[in-house]
Structure formats: C-alpha cells, structure tokens
Amino acid sequence: MVKVLEDILSQSAYSAEIEVPLEKVNIADWLFNLPESEYLRCCPPDHIAAGVTWTDDGRRMSINVEQIGSGLVVQHYVAEVAEPAYCRMNSISDVFTANGRTQVNVVWELIAEKVDDSRTLYTNRVTAHPTEAFMDFLAEHGVEYKDAAAARQVAGGDHNRRETPLFAASIARRALAK
C-alpha cells in the first residue's frame, strides 16, 4: 500500500469559459469516452497516450501518459466522483525521471459551473501530494523537498495552464455533438 502524505507538492487551477449551457455538459461522459487522438490534441506535445479501464472492484479509471516538465508520468486515475458537472479523480502516479522511478499522488478535479443560460465555466484543478516513496527517492538523490516542490509547481502549473482551454473546447464539442 502506498502511503500518501498530507503535504501539497503542487497545486494549480485554471478555468476556461465555453459557449455551452451547463445542462448540456457531461464531464464524466467526456472523460470516459475520450478518444486517444482527442486527448493528444489537448496538450501537445505533452500528452502521449490515454485509455480507460476499471479497478478490480469495478470503479472507472482513466489512464493518462504525459510529459510534465522533465518527468514522464503515468497517471492511474480512479474515479471517486464521476458526475456531469464534477469529476474527482485520484491517482497514484508513476513518475519516470533521469534518476529513476518514483510515485506521487495526484488528485484531478474537473468542474463545470453555470455562468449564464448559454455559458459554462470549466475549471481544471490538479493537486499533487508526495508519497513516502517520493520522499525516500528525494533523500536517496540528495534533493531538497522545497526544490522538488518548486520544480513540480512550475512544470505542473505550466502543463495545466496549456491543457485547460483545450480540455474545455473538447468538452464543449462533445456536448454540442450530443
């Protein structure tokens, strides 16, 4: 069992408005029916691969492979909440770096909120927490936590800033196609 620590390694939230009424938006439907080619278009060149599967106990999962900063990250997002206007996904993510492999916990929240009768605000919030294995990895390689957190904040924030408007546009296209 992976031990997740309470500390926040990085956190970012970006929003984009779409010209779609909230009632037509279904983030869970979009997320679990997202073609890989569409995922790749949502943050080139960082997004590498995506797919969906289930946990042994039947919960939905989204598997995403992406480059965030200098790390190749394999996200194993398990749906904690999967609703039309809100999804909360939780992942013990494998991070491959030049120094080897470690793990972090990433919570991905996808949020749709009504602006008015014809517009919706989409917010993409990503919070990363260190794991015990991550802390051991840092100690083994002589990296200070504050330095790792600062680097992750910059890289994760930049990635989220670029993918959020593209995710929003993709969610809007799916909503309008239904």
Side-chain angles (χ1 to χ4, degrees):
M1 186 70 160
V2 175
K3 182 171 182 187
V4 175
L5 306 179
E6 294 293 319
D7 296 3
I8 292 179
L9 181 60
S10 65
Q11 186 172 51
S12 65
Y14 289 92
S15 298
E17 202 171 281
I18 55 176
E19 297 289 328
V20 177
L22 178 62
E23 297 73 27
K24 286 191 169 202
V25 171
N26 189 330
I27 294 172
D29 175 68
W30 170 81
L31 180 60
F32 293 108
N33 292 289
L34 182 66
E36 184 178 60
S37 58
E38 180 70 358
Y39 174 76
L40 299 180
R41 287 188 287 271
C42 287
C43 196
D46 296 3
H47 286 183
I48 297 166
V52 293
T53 189
W54 297 266
T55 62
D56 285 345
D57 62 2
R59 292 176 292 160
R60 292 188 284 184
M61 290 181 68
S62 173
I63 306 295
N64 301 338
V65 180
E66 54 193 352
Q67 187 78 33
I68 299 178
S70 61
L72 178 67
V73 185
V74 179
Q75 316 274 17
H76 309 268
Y77 285 116
V78 177
E80 293 180 337
V81 179
E83 299 171 350
Y86 180 71
C87 289
R88 179 182 166 93
M89 309 296 289
N90 196 324
S91 172
I92 298 299
S93 299
D94 296 299
V95 182
F96 297 85
T97 73
N99 291 325
R101 177 181 176 179
T102 189
Q103 292 181 316
V104 296
N105 171 240
V106 181
V107 176
W108 179 24
E109 294 174 278
L110 302 88
I111 306 157
E113 299 171 291
K114 183 176 186 165
V115 173
D116 59 31
D117 288 343
S118 63
R119 294 178 299 147
T120 298
L121 183 68
Y122 170 73
T123 300
N124 200 61
R125 180 182 302 136
V126 180
T127 305
H129 299 275
T131 63
E132 202 169 68
F134 180 77
M135 299 304 283
D136 292 345
F137 181 84
L138 294 181
E140 179 183 331
H141 296 288
V143 177
E144 294 289 327
Y145 177 77
K146 66 177 177 51
D147 295 333
R152 170 69 192 202
Q153 183 64 44
V154 169
D158 174 64
H159 179 85
N160 191 6
R161 176 188 57 77
R162 290 182 292 115
E163 77 183 352
T164 297
L166 299 174
F167 277 161
S170 179
I171 290 165
R173 281 191 298 277
R174 178 140 180 112
L176 294 172
K178 291 214 152 232

